[in-house]
């Protein structure tokens, strides 16, 4: 029973770290956007990276699962898995938009 509670504690810590990193990246992106350069593609890429970290924080047990087992669980259709997939897809969309906007600005 102790190992289960230890794993849950580790997952909680990983989720908190991922969300803290996401908040830090968002704060840095907002600071750069408003006070320094006012570059929209840079802000969008910062938001995209923060969204990726939020997605990782939604499923912290992936950090403690062997890679072969993670690949076999890729077809998981649980609501939490669908939400994580949507968050990652949104992050990819934002990242592509950021790169396209920078390419159009240059």
């Amino acid at each position: 029973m102790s190992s289960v509670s230890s794993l849950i504690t580790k997952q909680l810590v990983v989720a908190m770290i991922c969300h803290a990193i996401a908040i830090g990246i968002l704060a840095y992106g907002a600071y750069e956007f408003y006070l320094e350069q006012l570059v929209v593609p840079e802000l969008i890429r910062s938001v995209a990276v923060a969204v990726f970290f939020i997605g990782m924080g939604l499923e912290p047990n992936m950090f403690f699962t062997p890679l072969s087992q993670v690949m076999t669980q890729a077809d998981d259709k649980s609501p939490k898995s669908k939400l994580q997939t949507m968050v990652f897809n949104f992050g990819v969309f934002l990242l592509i938009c950021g790169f396209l906007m920078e390419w159009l600005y240059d």
Side-chain angles (χ1 to χ4, degrees):
M1 193 66 165
S2 174
S3 64
V4 173
S5 64
S6 173
L7 181 63
I8 291 172
T9 304
K10 287 179 185 178
Q11 289 178 355
L12 181 63
V13 168
V14 167
M16 289 178 10
I17 289 171
C18 286
H19 291 131
I21 290 171
I23 290 171
I25 290 171
L26 284 175
Y28 175 75
Y31 170 77
E32 284 291 319
F33 180 72
Y34 288 117
L35 298 177
E36 294 292 325
Q37 300 172 353
L38 295 174
V39 179
V40 175
E42 191 77 28
L43 176 66
I44 291 175
R45 284 194 302 267
S46 295
V47 170
V49 172
V51 167
F52 283 131
F53 275 103
I54 289 171
M56 286 190 288
L58 289 176
E59 198 66 38
N61 64 348
M62 73 179 179
F63 292 102
F64 304 103
T65 307
L67 187 60
S68 60
Q69 190 176 358
V70 169
M71 294 307 211
T72 60
Q73 292 176 348
D75 297 333
D76 187 14
K77 299 298 180 194
S78 68
K80 196 170 188 179
S81 175
K82 288 180 183 179
L83 177 64
Q84 184 186 25
T85 302
M86 287 180 10
V87 168
F88 276 135
N89 289 342
F90 182 62
V92 169
F93 173 74
L94 286 176
L95 199 59
I96 291 171
C97 286
F99 284 125
L100 286 176
M101 288 178 70
E102 185 172 341
W103 177 67
L104 292 174
Y105 281 161
D106 285 341

